Amino acid sequence: MSLEERAQSAGPTPERPHARVNVGQMLLVGAIASALGIALGLLIDWFPVAASEEAGPIDTLWDVLLIASIPVFVLVTTVVLFAVLKFRMRPGEENLDGPPIHGNTRLEVIWTAIPAILLVGLCTYSFVVLEDVEALERDRIEVRVVGEQFAWTYYYDRDGEEVASRQLVLPIDRQVRFTLQSKDVIHDFWVPAFRIKKDAVPGIDVTYSVTPNRLGTFPVVCAELCGLGHAVMRSQARVVEQQEFESWLAEVGQPAQDEEGGDEGGGGGGEADPKALFASEGCGGCHTLADAGTTGTTGPDLDDVLQGKDEAFIRQAIVEPDAEIAEGYQGGIMPPNYEETIPGPQLDALVQYLSEVTQGG
Ligand code: CUA
């Protein structure tokens, strides 16, 4: 039975005496709720610290979208609440039905035109911001970002030779263009402080660029569920001065020269300290190691599984993690390319360090 037929079969339909909407009242409630919603929306600190030039326009875009969408949400909610309050069926009204409404051209034009204008306006604005954010600069640096279960590796161009690093180091105030690639499944390369994120898809090169403008260390996360180790697929982005970047790039992926004794400079980030390396490589995210104060449980507890093992075993466990898998754990989670990203002498130092701290005397 159509609405119309029902309306006719119900005979004359006396209007409900209480079914009167005070439009002025409804608008007032809606306006107050919108104002409160917008104030709350703008007060909330949605994002982490901003560390790129792109963050400004993107955060403003977010605020504008909030201001535009909150009144729409409030309008719909207010009308629904008023309808429920005013038009709900009361005892004895089971057979009553309101008068049927046929087309209301003015209303239809309004509710089509307003959303259309809003959408076109917001799309245009978003497009302008996107164009602005994606403009490439001539002196940019290029970094190839490769995702795999479950690690990121960064490849830099050093005088025509490609060098790999497990840590993302970027010079301040200089545009960097990332080319995202994946070796296995879809990952998503995201530095929340830079605001932009995109998927790394197997077989496709995806690019985006940012210009870091704040010194410091910021988390890099994978934002696409990619398997068991997704939550630990993290690394760090370190934004440094141009000069520091250059000296870092000159040494990365390269056997550090003459590591006897301590290196005083500190500029290179304490290359000879295996404990620092254990931290910067993110080992503790998955492994428990008392000496380093880490408590990860995704991978085996190193204090336990390495006890009584020789250095050859430890080295193999790092560079060929799936050769022998500890009981109760799953293979394929630890990245198999540490030999590529940790320079030889540092790897030696790490193996020796792990051997020393896990022998448990
Ligand atoms: Cu890679 Cu989630």
Side-chain angles (χ1 to χ4, degrees), residues 25-42:
Q25 198 183 26
M26 200 167 82
L27 282 179
L28 182 68
V29 170
I32 293 172
S34 295
L36 285 177
I38 290 174
L40 183 68
L42 294 181

Side-chain angles (χ1 to χ4, degrees), residues 170-189:
L170 298 169
I172 192 167
D173 295 330
R174 184 144 163 226
Q175 190 180 52
V176 50
R177 183 168 70 163
F178 300 115
T179 300
L180 316 182
Q181 297 171 336
S182 168
K183 285 189 187 172
D184 37 42
V185 299
I186 300 177
H187 302 275
D188 190 298
F189 178 66

Side-chain angles (χ1 to χ4, degrees), residues 150 152 186-188 222-226 230 233:
F150 295 95
W152 296 109
I186 300 177
H187 302 275
D188 190 298
C222 174
E224 180 68 49
L225 189 58
C226 55
H230 163 69
M233 189 166 167

